[in-house]
Amino acid sequence: MNNELVEQSEQQEVINNEEELAKKLYRLRKLKEEQAIEDARYQREIAESDEWYKPSKAKRTNQIDYVTALIEDYYQRRYAEDSYYRYKDRNGTVGKKVSTDYIYNEDELRKVLPDNLLKRSVSVKKDDLKRLFQSEKVDGRKKIVTDSEGHPITEDGEIIKGVVVKEKTEVTIKTTK
């Protein structure tokens, strides 16, 4: 109630002379000092609670990593038996995500690629280059055909030495909330 009266009286005030101006400057200085003290206390409390929280968070993070490793190990063993294996129940799902990484050797590509696949800055148009790769459907997914070293093969049967294709299978674990 007292704060409301102070706020109402401050909203209706107008400074008419330098004495009132000096008082308002003093009030402003004191308010800023109060705010600085409050901010310092807040930061100190946050730091204290953060220090209190760190050990339990570190322990829990280690436990999460351990359980995740157990789940991934189990999934990998089941996936080796059945390439379509996926687990789903009310607590969450475990599946896989396959991604393709391309490692480019720009110098080698500039030597073998035609000019229409090179940009003005003499770098490679990677999207256009990927369209040339021969692909096949494996397990309902488009897969790039490569030689034994991971170099992609074009539709014409030519091996592109400046690119290495690596497929990565990642276990995905999603828990329900």
Side-chain angles (χ1 to χ4, degrees), residues 21 38 72 92 158:
L21 177 62
E38 189 83 15
E72 287 177 356
E158 184 181 333

Side-chain angles (χ1 to χ4, degrees), residues 48-62:
E48 288 171 1
S49 65
D50 195 37
E51 288 300 317
W52 173 81
Y53 179 68
K54 279 182 183 178
S56 64
K57 182 178 180 182
K59 181 179 177 185
R60 200 174 303 90
T61 301
N62 289 339

Side-chain angles (χ1 to χ4, degrees), residues 133 144-147 150-154 158-161 163-165:
F133 300 161
I144 304 294
V145 178
T146 61
D147 65 358
H151 299 293
I153 300 173
T154 64
E158 184 181 333
I159 297 173
I160 301 177
K161 294 282 186 185
V163 180
V164 177
V165 178

Side-chain angles (χ1 to χ4, degrees), residues 29 44 120-121 127 175:
R29 181 173 60 98
R44 188 175 56 254
R120 289 186 186 145
S121 63
D127 289 336
T175 58

Side-chain angles (χ1 to χ4, degrees), residues 99-116:
S99 61
T100 306
D101 292 334
Y102 299 92
I103 302 168
Y104 296 96
N105 183 341
E106 297 272 342
D107 296 332
E108 199 167 323
L109 282 173
R110 277 189 227 115
K111 295 176 189 174
V112 295
L113 289 179
D115 290 339
N116 65 337

Side-chain angles (χ1 to χ4, degrees), residues 71-87 94:
I71 293 170
E72 287 177 356
D73 178 58
Y74 177 78
Y75 181 82
Q76 292 291 352
R77 286 186 281 130
R78 288 296 304 264
Y79 180 71
E81 296 170 7
D82 177 13
S83 63
Y84 292 102
Y85 180 72
R86 182 169 186 248
Y87 181 78
V94 181

